[in-house]
Amino acid sequence: MASVELTAENFDSTITSNEIVVVDFWADWCGPCKMFAPTFEAASEKDPEIVFGKVDTEAEQSLAAAAGIQSIPTLMVFREKILLFSQAGALPPAALDDLIAQVKGLDMEAVHAEIAKQQAEVAE
């Protein structure tokens, strides 16, 4: 599956209705973004069960602001609606592949349990 354009209108529904979503925040004027684009597209072809979304930070300034984007490219990875990774900078292909493998291999029951534990501690 090739990457999809994410906007303020479809961002939340994309995150909530897909198990794994990898998001690239980019801009047309950004050199590192352009260098990272082929790596991102290649990953989207290798893992068709994952949604790879791109947010044009120029066109979607309010979405970029809401996501706290301060530099681009920024990569975010969500699994089961949980933000697991957020980092500025272009990743080399092997690092992106490794990140995706780690996200796929996570024990999400343990992640959800840890989040519930932390929320309970905060509520006390």
Side-chain angles (χ1 to χ4, degrees), residues 46-97:
K46 282 193 270 186
D47 286 295
E49 74 281 4
I50 296 174
V51 174
F52 287 79
K54 294 181 72 73
V55 176
D56 180 346
T57 58
E58 290 296 308
E60 297 294 331
Q61 292 181 12
S62 62
L63 179 54
I69 303 303
Q70 296 182 350
S71 62
I72 53 175
T74 290
L75 191 66
M76 290 185 173
V77 182
F78 297 85
R79 181 163 174 201
E80 296 179 13
K81 304 175 204 134
I82 298 170
L83 176 63
L84 298 173
F85 180 87
S86 179
Q87 179 177 305
L91 294 177
L96 182 56
D97 291 345

